[in-house]
Amino acid sequence: MPQQRRLQLAGSILAGDVLNLLEAIRVCERAGADLLQLDVSDGHFVPTISFGEAVVRRTCEVTKLPVEVHLMVSRPEDWLTRMEGCGQFRMIFHREASRRAMGLVQGIVRKGMKPGIAINPETPAVALEPLLPYLDNVCIMGIAPGFAGQKLLDYTYTKIADVRALIEKTRSPATITVDGGVKADNARRLVEAGADNLVVSSGIFAHPNPDESLREIRRVVGS
Ligand code: DX5
């Protein structure tokens, strides 16, 4: 049986106003986010370019919330160096982007940070098995990464169950995050399938009342 944990809701500023990221951070805080997710993209691993280490550094300075950085980049190893001195955060990189994932996990830990790995919809859970005992988090993409505002793929529920089974098999301490397409109408099913954490972006910024958006999700999930 999955361990009972309080649901963690991460606010992603990706769907916020790119010319007013400070307000986007404040919106997530007012909405009651447990943490902030910063989506760094390089225009190569995914087609979009969001922001880089300067925004990560300033965000860590201006918020009291824990931060996680989701690296949608082709050479995540390089970003460990680029992010030097930007703050302490959970660093999530993509399994598909790294040819030496274990080395990068160890590098993140050596910097005093928590390692997470994200997997795209087409990557099977088993690709993570050897790494799981060393991970703090597995981030299951519910969409093709790079763009906010997409619809959650139905296969995500099966993927959550697969990852959960492997976490138990390997006695991994990793939590499970679902990122992409999370809304009040699917959050409960995602949690029932085994998700510990949900990342929400357009569910906050496209909500008629952003300050209420995450509270609405908590209400439907009952956590
Ligand atoms: C997508 C990002 C997500 C994105 C989610 O590439 O990793 O965090 O911000 O956006 P929504 O919640 O709109 O699907």
Side-chain angles (χ1 to χ4, degrees), residues 181-193:
V182 175
K183 300 284 179 332
D185 63 4
N186 55 26
R188 190 185 176 106
R189 193 174 161 204
L190 289 168
V191 170
E192 284 173 354

Side-chain angles (χ1 to χ4, degrees), residues 88-168:
Q88 289 295 310
F89 37 81
R90 180 192 276 157
M91 186 177 269
I92 300 170
F93 66 94
H94 269 262
R95 179 71 190 88
E96 304 84 5
S98 178
R99 282 183 295 175
R100 48 181 303 277
M102 190 69 88
L104 183 50
V105 166
Q106 290 167 340
I108 293 169
V109 171
R110 272 199 300 275
K111 301 273 184 203
M113 294 190 289
K114 294 183 171 175
I117 297 189
I119 49 173
N120 282 341
E122 65 274 17
T123 302
V126 73
L128 291 176
E129 187 170 348
L131 297 152
L132 278 175
Y134 311 97
L135 296 183
D136 180 61
N137 178 256
V138 172
C139 181
I140 298 172
M141 299 307 300
I143 53 165
F147 304 89
Q150 302 176 68
K151 187 176 179 306
L152 182 89
L153 297 163
D154 263 348
Y155 189 71
T156 309
Y157 302 103
T158 304
K159 181 80 73 70
I160 297 169
D162 291 350
V163 172
R164 177 60 69 196
L166 284 173
I167 283 176
E168 284 171 21

Side-chain angles (χ1 to χ4, degrees), residues 67-108:
V67 170
E68 65 180 21
V69 176
H70 174 207
L71 292 172
M72 295 181 281
V73 301
S74 284
R75 294 168 54 97
E77 292 79 9
D78 297 352
W79 285 79
L80 188 56
T81 314
R82 290 178 83 124
M83 295 280 179
E84 189 85 54
C86 287
Q88 289 295 310
F89 37 81
R90 180 192 276 157
M91 186 177 269
I92 300 170
F93 66 94
H94 269 262
R95 179 71 190 88
E96 304 84 5
S98 178
R99 282 183 295 175
R100 48 181 303 277
M102 190 69 88
L104 183 50
V105 166
Q106 290 167 340
I108 293 169

Side-chain angles (χ1 to χ4, degrees), residues 12-15 37 39 70 72 141 143-150 179-183 199-203:
S12 159
I13 61 173
L14 197 65
Q37 190 193 77
D39 288 300
H70 174 207
M72 295 181 281
M141 299 307 300
I143 53 165
F147 304 89
Q150 302 176 68
D179 181 6
V182 175
K183 300 284 179 332
V199 179
V200 188
S201 195
S202 56

